[in-house]
Amino acid sequence: MSDMFLTLPEAPGPIGVFDSGYGGLTILRQIRQLMPAYDYLYLGDNARAPYGAHSFEVVYEFTRQAVETLFARGCHLVVLACNTASAKALRTIQQNDLARLDPSRRVLGVIRPTVEIVGELTRSRHVGVLATAGTVNSHSYELEIHKLFPDITVSQMACPMWVPLVENYEYDSPGADYFVRKRIEGILRTDPAIDTLLLACTHYPLLMNKILKYTPPGVRVVPQGEYVASSLKDYLRRHTDMDARCTRRGTCHYLTTEAADKFSENASLFMHERCEAERIRF
Ligand code: DGL
């Protein structure tokens, strides 16, 4: 998409939800449950997922393309339902690109709403963050948690195989057990006082059955969807100008950079409803 000639539609439009692949559907599901009246446009960059091991520069470039696409399709508000993109691209997009594209549009991430609730969840004040290598190396969770809760000890663990298991629809297979167990045991060995494990990648709730299987009792596993959804609702309540620019017909459409039929098939299984997708090219 050309930066110079991007003309954006002015009319109100759907709320954009972006992820590298299928993971953002775990966030979309919670948002739609909480706010079913709005229209949504989901974009999964499945052809280029996973983002986890890519450099800052590449994740920023891919995420910027996705945001521009969603803006061009009428979204005034976009949620980066991806921790890797939130960690590596959100700030630059907010600070540099919005001014050029349209300063009245907004892009929100998933890290802040998740971090805000951590203080209420942990009693031991020892928290584990399970995430992609990109999110772990950005140290975003550690930094943000320590800003709000300096007394909390944060341990991180990259789980590089977890996103490919989901993207390849292997998240319920017997082979997934090995990779899930290894990382859960690994992080709890790093800090046995952990009582809260944050699933800081939107793909991970799709591995929930396996994650719970290897998490000892007394350790709470926390997916982010619920917190991101309530934070978005609160945002729209506080920003009535933006709320007025989000249409409400209760629809949900899907865009993917992969083959449309493959996305539709997998997304329908994740969302428990028919999800017709359109393939796009950047
Ligand atoms: N779902 C993503 C996240 O929340 C991205 C995973 C990836 O593409 O590596 O981090």
Side-chain angles (χ1 to χ4, degrees):
M1 184 162 304
S2 159
D3 294 347
M4 292 173 74
F5 303 111
L6 195 67
T7 46
L8 303 177
E10 285 302 319
I15 295 172
V17 179
F18 166 68
D19 182 43
S20 60
Y22 297 112
L25 296 173
T26 64
I27 302 285
L28 177 67
R29 194 160 53 195
Q30 297 277 346
I31 294 176
R32 280 178 72 205
Q33 246 168 43
L34 194 65
M35 299 187 290
Y38 289 85
D39 295 316
Y40 298 96
L41 182 59
Y42 184 89
L43 168 54
D45 191 7
N46 303 76
R48 301 191 294 195
Y51 279 12
H54 287 317
S55 65
F56 269 81
E57 203 181 343
V58 167
V59 172
Y60 161 64
E61 177 72 28
F62 289 178
T63 306
R64 187 178 51 76
Q65 289 174 340
V67 167
E68 287 182 359
T69 301
L70 289 166
F71 281 174
R73 298 261 181 157
C75 302
H76 290 253
L77 177 64
V78 170
V79 178
L80 301 184
C82 174
N83 291 272
T84 312
S86 299
K88 291 185 162 187
L90 178 63
R91 190 156 306 159
T92 314
I93 290 175
Q94 286 173 333
Q95 290 177 354
N96 299 349
D97 296 294
L98 283 182
R100 174 179 55 84
L101 292 166
D102 178 349
S104 75
R105 295 190 195 228
R106 287 288 171 269
V107 182
L108 307 175
V110 288
I111 297 179
R112 186 73 191 200
T114 310
V115 165
E116 279 170 356
I117 50 93
V118 169
E120 289 166 35
L121 299 176
T122 171
R123 286 178 171 212
S124 70
R125 314 309 275 173
H126 288 253
V127 168
V129 175
L130 298 167
T132 65
T135 301
V136 166
N137 294 335
S138 76
H139 296 283
S140 299
Y141 273 90
E142 264 176 323
L143 295 168
E144 293 295 322
I145 291 174
H146 284 149
K147 264 189 225 159
L148 298 184
F149 311 105
D151 62 315
I152 292 181
T153 302
V154 181
S155 305
Q156 304 192 93
M157 172 78 54
C159 311
M161 288 304 291
W162 290 17
V163 171
L165 286 170
V166 172
E167 286 296 308
N168 292 292
Y169 212 70
E170 292 284 347
Y171 59 93
D172 250 343
S173 73
D177 284 73
Y178 170 80
F179 296 104
V180 172
R181 181 179 188 168
K182 184 174 174 180
R183 297 307 174 191
I184 303 274
E185 288 182 352
I187 197 163
L188 294 176
R189 213 177 302 122
T190 307
D191 180 359
I194 288 171
D195 71 349
T196 305
L197 281 178
L198 280 187
L199 301 187
C201 171
T202 57
H203 281 68
Y204 296 175
L206 293 159
L207 287 155
M208 193 55 116
N209 291 341
K210 305 277 186 201
I211 292 169
L212 291 176
K213 187 168 159 190
Y214 296 108
T215 302
V219 176
R220 183 171 183 167
V221 177
V222 182
Q224 333 170 256
E226 176 190 339
Y227 307 109
V228 174
S230 57
S231 160
L232 179 63
K233 187 175 179 179
D234 185 52
Y235 178 87
L236 290 171
R237 188 184 52 75
R238 288 183 289 110
H239 296 86
T240 46
D241 52 331
M242 180 54 80
D243 193 46
R245 289 153 69 196
C246 299
T247 49
R248 289 175 189 74
R249 281 183 299 266
T251 67
C252 191
H253 292 105
Y254 299 88
L255 306 173
T256 176
T257 52
E258 246 294 348
D261 53 351
K262 185 179 171 202
F263 182 93
S264 300
E265 197 183 316
N266 289 338
S268 304
L269 291 164
F270 295 142
M271 296 298 279
H272 309 295
E273 68 178 30
R274 188 86 207 113
C275 303
E276 286 302 335
E278 176 193 339
R279 181 179 177 192
I280 57 155
R281 289 173 178 80
F282 289 127

